[in-house]
Amino acid sequence: MKKAFLPEITYMRGLCMLGVIGIHVGSYALQNPFVNLELISVLEILSRFGVPAFFFLSAFGLFYHTSVEEPFSYKEFMHRRIQVVLFPYITWSIFYLLYTGLTAHNLGNLHPGPLAVNLLFGTSMYHLYFMVILLWFYVMMPLWRAMVKVILKRPVFWMVLLFIIQVGINYVSSYMLGRWVTEHLSNNPVLKYLFDMRLNYWVIHYVWIFLLGAVCAERYETVCEYMWRYRYLLGVSAVGSILLMLGSYYYVMDVWHYTVLEAIYTVHQMSPMGVLYTGLGTLFSLFLFQTLPMNATMESTWSEIGDKSYGIYLAHPFWLLIISGVMAKYNLLYTVVNVLAMYVMALGLSYLTAVTLNHVPKPLRKFILGH
């Protein structure tokens, strides 16, 4: 039976896309020697939930439309996912390698060896690693379905336990393994590279948020009921997680004397506070989109951003490169005003690109946008 359309999920895709662009614009803002800490706290700290929240939304869509209680064809599932994700991933990877190669007058990354490495680890452009992890999630779909069947018997218990395990795994990966690898793998460049690239392909960093999306999809009516019943607790907890993220960001700079970049590399989406912030922020945002009244203009705006989020995601680094190049030509600094203008321009141009690409003939469009 066909499930009801959920506009709040579309709105959430739009919100997450705004966060992803914020993270990438923040990387440019950091080039200002007199960087604005408050601006960075929004672009590089609070926007961090956007990436893992997309895994939540991906799982939600998969399990909402193909429940674990329904028949499942792995072959048909992978055939569809290859078209939706793998084809556009390869196309855009080659596009970015070609563009950066032409601008650098060096097309060496398009040779078979470097091209294969770039495709395996999503390094053709800084945002494409997400698609690699997503493809690994798809390949392992039978495992996730089996896990969800077990989780649904005692969802609160299992999700709390998995949250604790996730925090532990991410903590070890983020803050402890690096030293061990330096000591033991420094003489093995292949294994060291595989470890250094772990954030580009290890699904284990995002299993909890992915399964949270799956469980919410399977029991969506119940989840909505609980979010409404405990809305004040949810709101206070979400705000508390925001304060925890911001507090940690300022703490490591003020007390531990970290640089801004070191603070960002410490207080990220895989830190203990980051995992908590991601879960609470995702659920609270979903709740707000369900319950807050919106006029027709707001609904249309969120729907458009959400509908075009895939195209915006794929295209926005190109426009950021163009805009940053223009800024460099005219010696424009990454001031607060210029960074905000850069954000708005990148979003607008990426949206127009997504609209244009949606009108490309279908045989070509499926390799660009997957449909």
Side-chain angles (χ1 to χ4, degrees):
M1 184 175 71
K2 189 174 181 179
K3 297 289 187 67
F5 172 71
L6 302 175
E8 60 267 28
I9 297 298
T10 301
Y11 303 159
M12 279 291 297
R13 290 194 187 99
L15 177 65
C16 292
M17 181 47 54
L18 295 179
V20 168
I21 296 177
I23 296 170
H24 297 154
V25 171
S27 298
Y28 290 96
L30 286 168
Q31 297 179 29
N32 187 338
F34 304 102
V35 62
N36 184 287
L37 296 181
E38 286 68 38
L39 178 64
I40 294 301
S41 72
V42 175
L43 296 178
E44 289 284 353
I45 301 299
L46 296 185
S47 293
R48 285 285 163 180
F49 88 100
V51 174
F54 263 125
F55 289 119
F56 173 96
L57 293 172
S58 298
F60 189 100
L62 294 174
F63 284 84
Y64 184 72
H65 294 290
T66 308
S67 170
V68 292
E69 298 168 0
E70 299 174 2
F72 176 73
S73 169
Y74 184 67
K75 181 180 179 180
E76 292 179 5
F77 170 79
M78 287 304 300
H79 180 269
R80 174 62 178 159
R81 295 303 108 191
I82 286 172
Q83 177 178 315
V84 172
V85 178
L86 182 60
F87 289 168
Y89 170 68
I90 294 173
T91 300
W92 285 90
S93 293
I94 294 174
F95 167 77
Y96 281 113
L97 288 175
L98 181 62
Y99 175 78
T100 54
L102 289 174
T103 55
H105 307 288
N106 182 359
L107 296 176
N109 276 329
L110 287 171
H111 294 167
L115 176 60
V117 172
N118 277 294
L119 290 176
L120 280 173
F121 298 106
T123 51
S124 302
M125 185 51 67
Y126 50 74
H127 68 314
L128 293 175
Y129 77 93
F130 171 86
M131 301 179 79
V132 175
I133 298 176
L134 197 57
L135 285 166
W136 278 113
F137 268 119
Y138 293 156
V139 169
M140 301 170 70
M141 192 62 178
L143 172 63
W144 313 131
R145 289 178 63 86
M147 291 182 68
V148 170
K149 286 181 180 179
V150 174
I151 292 170
L152 289 176
K153 297 175 181 178
R154 298 180 64 189
V156 175
F157 169 79
W158 284 115
M159 291 312 299
V160 169
L161 178 60
L162 286 171
F163 173 82
I164 296 171
I165 294 173
Q166 185 73 81
V167 168
I169 289 172
N170 288 4
Y171 185 88
V172 171
S173 177
S174 299
Y175 307 120
M176 298 176 67
L177 277 183
R179 187 182 306 166
W180 183 89
V181 168
T182 301
E183 294 175 357
H184 295 85
L185 297 182
S186 57
N187 295 325
N188 193 322
V190 174
L191 289 180
K192 188 175 186 305
Y193 184 77
L194 287 173
F195 173 80
D196 290 341
M197 289 290 104
R198 67 192 184 282
L199 300 183
N200 287 47
Y201 67 99
W202 280 12
V203 299
I204 198 169
H205 294 125
Y206 299 106
V207 168
W208 179 77
I209 193 68
F210 185 86
L211 292 177
L212 180 64
V215 171
C216 286
E218 291 284 352
R219 299 291 184 265
Y220 191 56
E221 291 185 3
T222 302
V223 169
C224 292
E225 178 185 336
Y226 272 87
M227 286 196 298
W228 176 257
R229 183 184 302 176
Y230 299 107
R231 58 191 180 278
Y232 298 117
L233 177 60
L234 177 61
V236 170
S237 300
V239 172
S241 69
I242 292 173
L243 296 176
L244 183 60
M245 287 289 284
L246 292 178
S248 301
Y249 165 69
Y250 286 109
Y251 179 86
V252 297
M253 288 189 293
D254 292 341
V255 178
W256 294 356
H257 307 295
Y258 279 18
T259 64
V260 180
L261 191 59
E262 287 172 334
I264 292 169
Y265 286 158
T266 302
V267 187
H268 47 64
Q269 68 266 29
M270 294 196 310
S271 63
M273 46 279 189
V275 179
L276 180 66
Y277 170 60
T278 295
L280 290 171
T282 301
L283 291 176
F284 188 58
S285 299
L286 185 60
F287 171 75
L288 291 179
F289 278 128
Q290 288 176 349
T291 56
L292 287 182
M294 287 191 287
N295 58 34
T297 301
M298 289 297 296
E299 288 182 355
S300 176
T301 301
W302 281 113
S303 292
E304 272 298 294
I305 297 175
D307 287 337
K308 303 300 187 299
S309 60
Y310 196 24
I312 294 172
Y313 158 79
L314 292 167
H316 78 271
F318 170 75
W319 290 112
L320 286 175
L321 290 171
I322 297 296
I323 296 168
S324 64
V326 172
M327 292 180 68
K329 180 178 180 179
Y330 292 99
N331 296 316
L332 297 175
L333 297 177
Y334 290 100
T335 62
V336 173
V337 173
N338 288 344
V339 168
L340 293 177
M342 184 184 199
Y343 182 98
V344 172
M345 290 177 64
L347 175 60
L349 291 168
S350 300
Y351 169 76
L352 293 176
T353 302
V355 171
T356 302
L357 292 177
N358 269 282
H359 290 87
V360 170
K362 188 172 183 178
L364 182 60
R365 190 173 70 239
K366 73 176 184 178
F367 290 98
I368 300 175
L369 294 177
H371 62 82

